[in-house]
Amino acid sequence: MKDFIRVMKALSDPSRIKILKMLTRRELCVCELQAGLGLAQPTVSKHLRILEDAGLVEKRKDGLWMNYRPADGLSSPYAATLLGSLKHWLNDDPEIHALLLKVPNLDRAAVCARSPEVAR
């Protein structure tokens, strides 16, 4: 039951839902997520840590960058089920729709060049 509760708590925050929806489009680094959401880097990192602990996202190091993507679902059947459904949920929500339109234009080189304090 603990795994179920961890996944449900991770999905109880609108910012974490937005992060997961963005990651369904493509792998993103913290600075790209930060730019898309308009949140501070520590806030985005905290949300990613919670999502990772729940088995909802995975990270992959690529040079200086830490890239995030939805998890494969192997660590938790609850996470796998919800990730599969989340791909189809909320796409018609105006806020989510607008956010997803931003994802293709998020470019880490441009984002980090504008904001030197943005963490990779």
Side-chain angles (χ1 to χ4, degrees):
M1 181 168 0
K2 287 180 184 179
D3 290 338
F4 175 76
I5 299 298
R6 186 177 302 119
V7 170
M8 298 309 288
K9 282 184 177 181
L11 293 173
S12 69
D13 184 278
S15 293
R16 292 193 284 271
I17 296 292
K18 291 173 187 175
I19 288 170
L20 283 172
K21 290 300 289 182
M22 291 173 74
L23 294 175
T24 63
R25 295 296 194 245
R26 67 177 175 96
E27 254 187 13
L28 296 165
C29 68
V30 174
C31 61
E32 291 168 317
L33 289 165
Q34 179 183 351
L37 295 166
L39 297 174
Q41 182 272 323
T43 303
V44 173
S45 293
K46 178 184 175 192
H47 286 310
L48 286 166
R49 203 168 24 260
I50 291 168
L51 291 168
E52 187 178 12
D53 289 344
L56 293 163
V57 300
E58 298 173 338
K59 60 185 175 186
R60 177 183 64 83
K61 186 138 175 82
D62 180 22
L64 295 174
W65 309 102
M66 189 64 73
N67 297 308
Y68 290 86
R69 64 178 174 257
D72 58 16
L74 295 177
S75 66
S76 167
Y78 308 114
T81 300
L82 286 165
L83 284 169
S85 295
L86 190 62
K87 289 179 190 174
H88 310 287
W89 291 342
L90 300 171
N91 292 331
D92 58 348
D93 178 85
E95 193 174 353
I96 297 293
H97 181 72
L99 182 62
L100 294 179
L101 290 176
K102 290 182 184 179
V103 172
N105 300 315
L106 295 173
D107 175 36
R108 67 184 63 190
V111 170
C112 292
R114 282 194 313 262
S115 303
E117 74 279 355
V118 173
R120 295 177 168 97

